[in-house]
Amino acid sequence: MSFRISLLAAAAAVSIAPIASGQERTEFEQQAREIYRNVVEVRSARGHENVPKIVDYVVGELKAAGFSDEDIEVTDYDNDGEATQGLVVWYRSPDPQDKPIALLAHMDVVDALAEDWVREPYKLIEEEGYFFGRGTADNKYGVTSLVATFIRLKEEGFEPTRDLVMVLSGDEETGMVSTRAQANWVAEEVDPAFVLNADAGGLGLDDNGEPLDYGIQGAEKTYATFELTVTNPGGHSSAPRADNAIYELADALKKIEAYKFPVRYNDLTLASIEAAGRKRLDRLGNAQRAFAADPTDEDAIEVLRANPATVGQIGTTCIATMLRAGHAENALPQSATATVNCRIFPGVGIEATEATLKDVVGNEDVQFELISDLVESPESGMREDVLAAVETALEARGVTDVDIIPHMSAGGTDGMHYRNLGYDTYGVGGAAAKQNDTFAHGLNERLLVSSFYDGLDHFYIILKELAGPEEG
Ligand SMILES: [Zn+2]
């Protein structure tokens, strides 16, 4: 499917260029920045059990804006010994005309270590036109934009024509225990018409900050994590044996490193790769267009495989992410274990992927164990009302004449659990970013300051479009 929508508004496209700091901000913008600061500055990574601090803070803000106890539900979860929480907030319609809309974001982050970062990771720092800090992009901007939008609409006295249910999860980056429970709860208690996720989708910018296109996440790859283990009788390190668990595991990992999974594509990925390439004149753009025209083009495949932003779009990827081995510096290792994380292309399946990895490794001493729960999620068919609402939001933000492109996300988000239960789920985040510029999960994560403020209207407009009274 291709969903090429040209946004032809009278207004000229406005550049999302960095705005000088010190510019006057509206009261709402300042309030949103304060929410952002408060949630970024909580170290809500696994191992710290700080998600409840975010919940407490957000609940306080929502109550101050007029949400009642009956509108707010806080739930405790245990993710493999780690306490976390989920938060559900109902924005009730006085007279519902339609099934509800569920809105997703996650409060947890991948941990960041201060010694590795240039700036303090758990402090919101505004510098060089960016907000720096862990979670500034993934996903505390999503949390901020949903919470701030609920507060803004409530304070304006907005009465939705259908219930809006905000669902914030507490362990999206690790076990998704809260996500899974919340998705089941939403299916039973809310049964929404569809789900909007603030943790995916967004406006792509070129290197000059000009809008390229807007991506809606309509599908996700399957997330699967394996542990590969080699065991050995071990012994004293002064008397080495010929076989060694660490060397054997290292050999297996080097084979996985060298292996490229076969190229895969579907209508949605070809359309999104083609659209992404249409506005780029560089080598990557050439490769994207060439691949969309002929997915067997070896030169194009090579370029797309070499780029972290595109490699996941053309097939399954499996990559080593963690290692543990040995028990003493003067002992031969009795075991060595590597964690290998796979993002499986829709339709390939987990068994086939595991079989491929075993073939590649070619050593029966290497034991495979699937340690993640498998969640296959089908592609969500596009909805005209959602596309139209996004288009209206972009126009209102001065972004015109860009394509809205449904895409498959290589990462795993909360959305897959909702798709798995049969709910169409769309990643429609409000942020704008240049390619490879947010460093989500990595060092020095950041978000353009201009994008922060510009994107605050995004869900506000989308919700007014999808849950507001008909304009007369
Ligand atoms: Zn995320």
Side-chain angles (χ1 to χ4, degrees), residues 405-446:
I405 306 160
H407 69 93
M408 176 186 73
S409 185
T413 68
D414 284 341
M416 67 184 174
H417 292 275
Y418 293 82
R419 288 198 192 94
N420 182 257
L421 292 172
Y423 292 100
D424 284 338
T425 301
Y426 307 100
V428 291
K434 298 172 192 172
Q435 202 176 28
N436 300 336
D437 195 43
T438 64
F439 303 100
H441 296 196
L443 294 177
N444 308 313
E445 184 176 346
R446 62 194 189 172

Side-chain angles (χ1 to χ4, degrees), residues 68-373:
S68 70
D69 284 331
E70 294 77 59
D71 301 328
I72 294 169
E73 196 165 342
V74 177
T75 314
D76 292 313
Y77 297 103
D78 179 281
N79 173 353
D80 199 16
E82 172 97 357
T84 190
Q85 284 185 335
L87 174 63
V88 174
V89 185
W90 287 80
Y91 195 136
R92 292 177 210 276
S93 167
D95 179 25
Q97 308 292 312
D98 271 310
K99 286 170 93 174
I101 301 171
L103 300 145
L104 313 180
H106 66 88
M107 300 177 283
D108 61 312
V109 291
V110 172
D111 207 5
L113 301 176
E115 56 266 36
D116 299 337
W117 281 48
V118 173
R119 301 163 192 81
E120 258 186 83
Y122 293 102
K123 193 162 170 48
L124 186 70
I125 295 172
E126 187 175 345
E127 230 176 81
E128 301 163 8
Y130 287 95
F131 283 121
F132 288 89
R134 170 56 89 228
T136 46
D138 183 17
N139 180 233
K140 286 174 173 175
Y141 185 60
V143 170
T144 300
S145 46
L146 292 184
V147 170
T149 298
F150 264 40
I151 289 172
R152 183 179 180 186
L153 290 169
K154 194 69 153 187
E155 287 179 344
E156 281 180 11
F158 174 71
E159 294 191 334
T161 56
R162 63 208 302 179
D163 287 357
L164 306 173
V165 184
M166 172 165 57
V167 185
L168 304 183
S169 63
D171 60 348
E172 190 265 359
E173 301 287 8
T174 51
M176 290 197 182
V177 170
S178 61
T179 309
R180 192 164 300 141
Q182 287 177 324
N184 285 321
W185 179 86
V186 165
E188 274 178 30
E189 302 294 327
V190 182
D191 191 28
F194 54 88
V195 180
L196 301 179
N197 188 356
D199 187 30
L203 188 62
L205 305 178
D206 68 14
D207 290 340
N208 301 317
E210 296 292 333
L212 276 174
D213 49 42
Y214 182 88
I216 293 186
Q217 186 217 58
E220 284 182 78
K221 295 174 89 175
T222 297
Y223 181 106
T225 302
F226 297 96
E227 278 190 351
L228 276 57
T229 298
V230 179
T231 54
N232 188 282
H236 201 286
S237 64
S238 65
R241 2 177 336 128
D243 54 354
N244 177 297
I246 291 177
Y247 291 154
E248 262 190 273
L249 182 68
D251 284 341
L253 293 175
K254 292 302 286 181
K255 286 179 180 166
I256 291 172
E257 181 189 15
Y259 179 71
K260 305 283 177 255
F261 280 85
V263 169
R264 289 268 178 170
Y265 52 88
N266 57 36
D267 290 348
L268 187 145
T269 60
L270 281 186
S272 69
I273 290 169
E274 196 272 329
R278 206 182 303 143
K279 291 193 176 165
R280 301 184 72 107
L281 297 172
D282 57 0
R283 188 155 172 262
L284 178 61
N286 293 341
Q288 286 169 319
R289 277 176 272 111
F291 181 85
D294 174 12
T296 66
D297 185 322
E298 288 296 332
D299 295 337
I301 291 166
E302 200 185 317
V303 173
L304 298 180
R305 273 193 175 140
N307 188 317
T310 51
V311 61
Q313 291 296 310
I314 60 169
T316 297
T317 61
C318 290
I319 191 82
T321 55
M322 295 185 351
L323 268 181
R324 60 175 192 274
H327 55 284
E329 66 183 71
N330 57 359
L332 299 173
Q334 290 172 0
S335 97
T337 298
T339 305
V340 173
N341 180 248
C342 296
R343 308 300 172 109
I344 302 169
F345 202 88
V348 174
I350 188 89
E351 290 86 3
T353 303
E354 183 171 348
T356 301
L357 283 177
K358 284 180 171 167
D359 257 16
V360 167
V361 167
N363 178 354
E364 292 193 350
D365 291 346
V366 180
Q367 300 298 311
F368 279 71
E369 190 190 352
L370 177 68
I371 61 164
S372 60
D373 292 312

Side-chain angles (χ1 to χ4, degrees), residues 34-86:
E34 190 57 13
I35 294 170
Y36 193 45
R37 187 181 68 74
N38 273 284
V39 297
V40 166
E41 295 190 353
V42 175
R43 187 176 189 174
S44 54
R46 184 173 175 86
H48 304 281
E49 301 197 335
N50 280 333
V51 169
K53 288 185 187 164
I54 296 183
V55 171
D56 274 359
Y57 167 75
V58 166
V59 165
E61 295 296 302
L62 289 161
K63 282 190 178 168
F67 287 91
S68 70
D69 284 331
E70 294 77 59
D71 301 328
I72 294 169
E73 196 165 342
V74 177
T75 314
D76 292 313
Y77 297 103
D78 179 281
N79 173 353
D80 199 16
E82 172 97 357
T84 190
Q85 284 185 335

